[in-house]
Amino acid sequence: MIGAIADDLTGATDIAAAFRSAGLRVGLYFDGIDADADVAGLDAAVVGLKTRTVPAADAVAQSSRAARALRAHGCGQIYFKFCSTFDSSPAGNIGPVSDALADDLSAGPVVFAPTTPVQRRTVYQGHLFVGDMLLSNSPMRDHPLTPMTDPDLRRVLQAQTARRVGSIPLQTVREGGSAVAAELARLDALGIDDVIVDAVDDRDLDAIAAAVRTSPLVTGAAGLACALGRAHASAATRADDDLDTDARLSTARTVAALAGSCSARTREQVARWRESRPAFWLDPVATPDSAALADGALAWFDAVPDGGALIYSTTDPETLHRAQAALGTARAAQIVETALGLVAVGLVRRGVDRLIVAGGETSGEVVRALGIGQGRVGAEAAPGVPWIFTDAPAPLAVLLKSGNYGDADLLVRAAQVQP
Ligand code: ADP
């Protein structure tokens, strides 16, 4: 079994979808994994943490704890998943977390490969590209928490670790898995512990995966996870997949959607929903109280004839900035997030068993409010957005979508009852 640790929640759903698309049976664990978690019959266990921007010591402690628990559950390999744009601050947390995991696992040279072709993230000559732009020219340069202004990953990683950083060029990767393995051994002999590996397409990722298939620690984004999944799937003897997404969805027919994301793509998805389906907007300025907002939304929901309703705080940048100016950014977010968590609890009490959630932070709050500890990962509704099936505290089909994921029809499509 592969054990994966992701540094944020929608990163965990992304990598879970990658393993699943490679043919693995995947369990998803929110906010850590307990000693008594059910991992029976799984090929991969993915733990979603929220460690991307917390203090490094905290990220290290949480990640090491998750790795120990995964190993106790029988994981022979740990995959540390970071964002395909290498989101981190100058001090971490990618370096500190991978250092600690490498120590814990007595890992030899550790591969770092953020390449994810489906999202157009590639690495060449040690430099990270977003589509046809260097990382430092992409919108990531203006990210509010982790602005990425240096595209040279060797330099970015070296600033975060005391270990020596090296790289493997694309030419070597194109010679295949044995050449990558030989180069890793050569670098190891030179005292180089952390290795940025070039990759442009899935065949490159397959070569890297072949070289590290039995390494105790591998790091990267969803692209290498998928390749590693393919490598394990072809070697393992597995029963037929026992998780039929369509069958599970056909029993989860009472639908509601929640949106707390204000990202451009979510705004399109909400607008598309409102063309044909009932929707209720939460206004934190008019009602700056989470419980009152939630009560109003649930009273509205009770009056909607046949469910299929959306409750959202999504709004345009101008209205958002007015709310942030009136309430303070943190308080506005907290009022809305808490309200959406309360609404989620009220909806499940009312029998909703298919819940669609838009927004990374929003998803975290909804999962926390519902007390969901783990789920099985089903088919993707859009790239990187899998259905997740939980049994406790109630049988639910949940779709957690980060702001800019999915096409404009995703929310409407996900709500449609399967034949
Ligand atoms: P995304 O994945 O698009 O980044 P998130 O859920 O992670 O979405 O973040 C959106 C943030 O904006 C949340 O903290 C949410 O509470 C906040 N927010 C959403 N709607 C409003 C609003 N109308 N006024 C103020 N803050 C809001």
Side-chain angles (χ1 to χ4, degrees):
M1 185 162 64
I2 307 177
I5 301 168
D7 66 357
D8 82 343
L9 186 66
T10 40
T13 57
D14 194 10
I15 191 178
F19 284 138
R20 156 93 194 186
S21 72
L24 303 190
R25 290 163 298 186
V26 188
L28 186 53
Y29 302 83
F30 301 103
D31 201 23
I33 179 166
D34 294 333
D36 59 356
D38 181 11
V39 298
L42 298 182
D43 305 304
V46 179
V47 179
L49 298 177
K50 199 169 181 301
T51 49
R52 188 169 294 168
T53 56
V54 303
D58 192 9
V60 163
Q62 289 189 48
S63 307
S64 288
R65 196 178 317 128
R68 274 197 301 278
L70 287 166
R71 279 160 55 81
H73 279 297
C75 293
Q77 180 170 58
I78 299 294
Y79 191 93
F80 171 43
K81 194 270 180 191
F82 45 73
C83 189
S84 58
T85 42
F86 217 75
D87 297 12
S88 50
S89 74
N93 290 331
I94 295 175
V97 168
S98 57
D99 285 358
L101 294 177
D103 281 352
D104 294 349
L105 301 167
S106 306
V110 178
V111 153
F112 291 74
T115 293
T116 302
V118 70
Q119 310 287 357
R120 302 187 68 218
R121 273 47 176 245
T122 57
V123 178
Y124 182 60
Q125 311 278 30
H127 287 61
L128 180 54
F129 290 81
V130 177
D132 62 0
M133 279 178 283
L134 279 168
L135 175 66
S136 49
N137 294 334
S138 80
M140 277 308 297
R141 67 171 298 120
D142 299 316
H143 192 279
L145 300 176
T146 52
M148 301 302 292
T149 54
D150 185 352
D152 187 335
L153 296 184
R154 297 162 297 186
R155 209 158 42 204
V156 175
L157 182 59
Q158 190 64 80
Q160 300 181 19
T161 176
R163 290 155 60 98
R164 281 182 64 201
V165 176
S167 62
I168 297 183
L170 190 64
Q171 284 137 300
T172 307
V173 174
R174 293 265 156 109
E175 287 168 24
S178 312
V180 175
E183 184 61 6
L184 283 171
R186 193 184 72 83
L187 292 171
D188 190 26
L190 295 175
I192 291 173
D193 314 297
D194 289 351
V195 186
I196 305 283
V197 188
D198 282 359
V200 171
D201 60 26
D202 281 322
R203 271 179 318 172
D204 302 331
L205 292 169
D206 282 334
I208 301 170
V212 299
R213 206 177 73 75
T214 57
S215 300
L217 176 65
V218 180
T219 86
L224 182 59
C226 196
L228 209 48
R230 285 192 291 272
H232 282 282
S234 56
T237 310
R238 297 180 312 109
D240 285 339
D241 191 344
D242 59 354
L243 190 67
D244 182 336
T245 299
D246 287 345
R248 290 251 194 158
L249 283 178
S250 70
T251 64
R253 289 164 167 272
T254 311
V255 182
L258 298 172
S261 154
C262 297
S263 293
R265 182 52 54 82
T266 302
R267 298 210 318 274
E268 283 172 46
Q269 291 162 338
V270 166
R272 188 59 60 87
W273 180 291
R274 292 178 60 209
E275 287 168 11
S276 60
R277 288 170 172 262
F280 182 90
W281 187 53
L282 298 176
D283 182 357
V285 177
T287 312
D289 177 89
S290 302
L293 272 176
D295 285 349
L298 290 167
W300 170 82
F301 180 84
D302 288 337
V304 171
D306 60 348
L310 166 70
I311 293 164
Y312 68 105
S313 66
T314 307
T315 191
D316 57 87
E318 202 183 309
T319 313
L320 175 65
H321 291 144
R322 268 207 305 274
Q324 290 173 333
L327 299 165
T329 300
R331 179 155 174 254
Q334 188 253 317
I335 290 170
V336 169
E337 283 174 30
T338 306
L340 285 168
L342 292 169
V343 171
V345 171
L347 291 172
V348 170
R349 281 208 189 109
R350 284 162 173 75
V352 166
D353 55 5
R354 187 192 304 195
L355 192 60
I356 301 153
V357 188
E361 295 295 327
T362 306
S363 294
E365 177 57 22
V366 165
V367 164
R368 198 198 60 73
L370 289 173
I372 296 174
Q374 69 184 80
R376 284 287 301 273
V377 177
E380 289 169 294
V385 191
W387 283 102
I388 299 159
F389 300 103
T390 70
D391 293 323
L396 286 178
V398 191
L399 197 74
L400 306 176
K401 181 204 91 75
S402 81
N404 280 317
Y405 273 40
D407 53 286
D409 286 320
L410 174 61
L411 297 186
V412 172
R413 203 172 58 242
Q416 269 156 10
V417 174
Q418 306 291 313

